[in-house]
Amino acid sequence: YARGRVLELLGRQTEAAADFTAAATEATFHGFLAADRLGAAYAICPADALLNTQRALETLNLGGIARALEWHALGEIDRARAEWFWQLPQLSPELRREAGLIASREGLHEWAIFTLNTEALLRQYDARFPLLHSKAVAKEAKRTGLAEQWVYGLIRAESAWNANARSPVGARGLMQLMPATAAAVAKSLGVRVDPLNDPAHNIQLGTTYLSRRVADLDGNAVLATGAYNAGIGAVKRWIDAPLPPWDLWIETVPYKETREYIARVMAFSVLYDWRLDGSPSRLSSLIPGMATRTEAAPVACPKA
């Protein structure tokens, strides 16, 4: 995609179109942007999400899977996770699929997301991109003026929907808020800071914080996403003029983690937009100066 954009800027449209056509076959950040350059459909092609009864029974009879579900039922979460993720590398793609769908059915959404995060299983979109805490997300997105699908995408990238997630540096909850940040936001809103593992409360604080980064950065969703990950100070250091177009600016972000984070959140936003109503807005509409089309993107399976 990046090569195609450079060729496009050099006026080499035919060569650029060939690169965009190749990139647009993938349901990724670069794939969606490539489709936008062409006016093409998004390559979102969901796989059958029904359990295979025989393989599901075979999966449930495996020692690690069975023990994990039993430990979880007993409230022994750490033991349950250890058993589950010990068993995963030993599963065939077919059984791993069933394990992921079983985890999703049981409400173990984080387990499902990581279980299905292999090349062969990426099209299990229902389980990989669950629509959770929808009332809280819709309410807080509306209150803060954020795109609902963007909030979903950021939560998915931050915590994989684990309300009890805690990072090595102490960030907590669905939107992975640092306690000091959460305390400052809570004070400004006149609300309590804890419990950060309460989904609705965490979403209230997290969306408020994100919306303030948007305001600080002139409404630029790309910069605000980067600031959520790396801090606003770092982002401001990276925007000295002259600047390339914002989609290419992302490729220049010095922090690999943040560079990939921005792309991941943006791609997840598209997939959640599609999950919400089946008609996703063009990804380029989130990127300043990139929106050349206002219609929703059609969705189609790419040709083999």
Side-chain angles (χ1 to χ4, degrees), residues 12 62 65 130 238:
R12 295 160 63 177
L62 293 170
I65 297 298
W238 302 334

Side-chain angles (χ1 to χ4, degrees), residues 29-47:
F29 172 73
H30 295 103
F32 295 143
L33 286 180
D36 288 354
R37 304 313 292 171
L38 299 167
Y42 283 177
I44 301 174
C45 188

Side-chain angles (χ1 to χ4, degrees), residues 2 7 19 44 54 56-57 71 73 80 110 117 119 147 173 199 206 214 220 225 234 248 298:
L7 289 168
D19 280 333
I44 301 174
Q54 181 177 348
L57 288 172
W71 281 123
E110 182 197 25
N117 191 30
E119 187 67 31
V214 173
N220 189 317
T225 302
L248 293 180

Side-chain angles (χ1 to χ4, degrees), residues 64-76:
I65 297 298
R67 285 191 297 272
L69 295 174
E70 290 165 3
W71 281 123
H72 192 274
L74 293 170
E76 295 281 354

Side-chain angles (χ1 to χ4, degrees), residues 68-91:
L69 295 174
E70 290 165 3
W71 281 123
H72 192 274
L74 293 170
E76 295 281 354
I77 307 303
D78 290 341
R79 286 186 173 185
R81 284 178 58 85
E83 288 284 358
W84 185 272
F85 289 102
W86 169 81
Q87 183 74 71
L88 281 191
Q90 305 172 58
L91 301 184

